[in-house]
């Protein structure tokens, strides 16, 4: 099994070999192009990002600068928004659903290293997949660790470090991140009232 296949299967691997080198080189060249774009060139973003990612849905926007390792291991659904300074270390797969929002400086980190210092010093590493389900909002400076799934509709508070799975439809925050409460029908009613007020004001 070559290093790239070992990497994507979650086994120990080393960053060496032609397959990993070529994938990394392609990603870095595309990222250089993307991050160099002027604001007026926003319409040039999508072709670059479609070439970079394994999948990139409709009506998506990533505000530069953005960084990742390979890009091809990242799959993003529709209506995605990522604010400044997003980082995705995709030595394993990153799967992002529809209508997902990232605040600034969000980091998705699939990469990890052995606890044993001798083996770690031999530059062996591994990665575990990250999954962000539909309708998730990650606040600014959120870090998601390897192997984590964040459930549909959930919100992660700013500055949180997510070390384990988060269920659907909850508000969670902290370091380590913990569930604070469920998102309920009362939340829906409250925000619907504010939306109705907004729509009424816009008619005036």
């Amino acid at each position: 099994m070559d290093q790239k296949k070992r990497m994507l299967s979650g086994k120990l691997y080393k960053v060496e070999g032609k397959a990993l080198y070529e994938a990394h080189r392609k990603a870095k060249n595309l990222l250089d192009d993307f991050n160099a774009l002027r604001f007026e060139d926003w319409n040039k973003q999508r072709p670059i990002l479609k070439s970079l990612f394994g999948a990139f849905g409709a009506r998506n926007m990533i505000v530069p600068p953005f960084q990742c390792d390979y890009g091809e291991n990242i799959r993003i659904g529709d209506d995605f928004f990522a604010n400044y300074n997003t980082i995705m270390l995709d030595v394993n797969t990153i799967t992002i659903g529809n209508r997902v929002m990232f605040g600034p400086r969000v980091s998705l980190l699939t990469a990890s290293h052995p606890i044993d210092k001798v083996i770690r010093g031999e530059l062996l590493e591994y990665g575990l997949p990250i999954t962000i389900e539909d309708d998730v909002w990650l606040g600014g400076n959120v870090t998601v660790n390897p192997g984590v799934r964040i459930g549909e509709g959930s919100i992660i508070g700013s500055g949180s470090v997510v070390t384990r799975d988060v269920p659907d439809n909850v508000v969670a925050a902290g370091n380590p991140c913990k569930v604070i409460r469920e998102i309920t029908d009362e939340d829906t009613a409250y925000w619907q009232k504010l939306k109705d007020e907004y729509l009424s004001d816009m008619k005036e």
Side-chain angles (χ1 to χ4, degrees):
M1 184 181 294
D2 66 20
Q3 300 291 353
K4 186 175 183 180
K5 290 180 180 177
R6 292 189 65 86
M7 179 183 80
L8 292 172
S9 66
K11 297 178 181 293
L12 286 177
Y13 76 100
K14 284 189 175 181
V15 183
E16 60 184 24
K18 183 177 180 180
L20 285 182
Y21 170 78
E22 289 298 328
H24 187 72
R25 183 186 64 80
K26 176 187 174 184
K28 291 307 175 186
N29 286 334
L30 288 168
L31 288 166
D32 284 346
D33 292 342
F34 174 76
N35 289 318
L37 289 175
R38 293 168 54 86
F39 177 77
E40 291 81 1
D41 295 332
W42 63 269
N43 60 322
K44 297 179 182 178
Q45 284 191 4
R46 183 168 180 81
I48 296 173
L49 294 176
K50 280 187 70 69
S51 297
L52 175 66
F53 294 129
F56 192 64
R59 300 173 301 280
N60 294 340
M61 183 175 183
I62 296 176
V63 180
F66 168 76
Q67 293 294 335
C68 65
D69 283 326
Y70 301 100
E72 64 186 33
N73 304 321
I74 300 168
R75 304 184 66 83
I76 301 174
D78 298 333
D79 301 299
F80 172 69
F81 175 78
N83 217 319
Y84 305 102
N85 294 300
T86 296
I87 295 173
M88 300 186 194
L89 301 188
D90 60 315
V91 306
N92 207 308
T93 57
I94 294 175
T95 305
I96 298 171
N98 300 316
R99 300 171 301 280
V100 172
M101 298 173 59
F102 289 180
R105 300 185 182 90
V106 165
S107 296
L108 307 184
L109 312 178
T110 69
S112 195
H113 303 272
I115 291 175
D116 182 86
K117 63 184 179 183
V118 175
I119 296 174
R120 186 169 66 245
E122 295 172 1
L123 303 182
L124 285 162
E125 58 185 83
Y126 69 100
L128 298 173
I130 289 173
T131 301
I132 311 294
E133 301 287 359
D134 293 347
D135 300 299
V136 166
W137 171 24
L138 305 184
N141 288 294
V142 166
T143 298
V144 181
N145 279 6
V148 165
R149 171 193 173 272
I150 298 180
E152 180 178 352
S154 287
I155 298 169
I156 309 298
S158 299
S160 298
V161 179
V162 189
T163 60
R164 58 185 62 184
D165 289 356
V166 174
D168 296 351
N169 298 308
V170 299
V171 177
N175 182 7
C177 187
K178 296 179 181 178
V179 173
I180 297 172
R181 68 176 182 87
E182 293 183 356
I183 297 171
T184 67
D185 291 342
E186 290 181 358
D187 293 304
T188 301
Y190 174 80
W191 289 102
Q192 184 63 50
K193 179 181 178 182
L194 294 185
K195 177 184 173 182
D196 290 345
E197 291 175 358
Y198 166 79
L199 293 174
S200 178
D201 289 345
M202 292 301 99
K203 292 178 181 178
E204 295 179 1

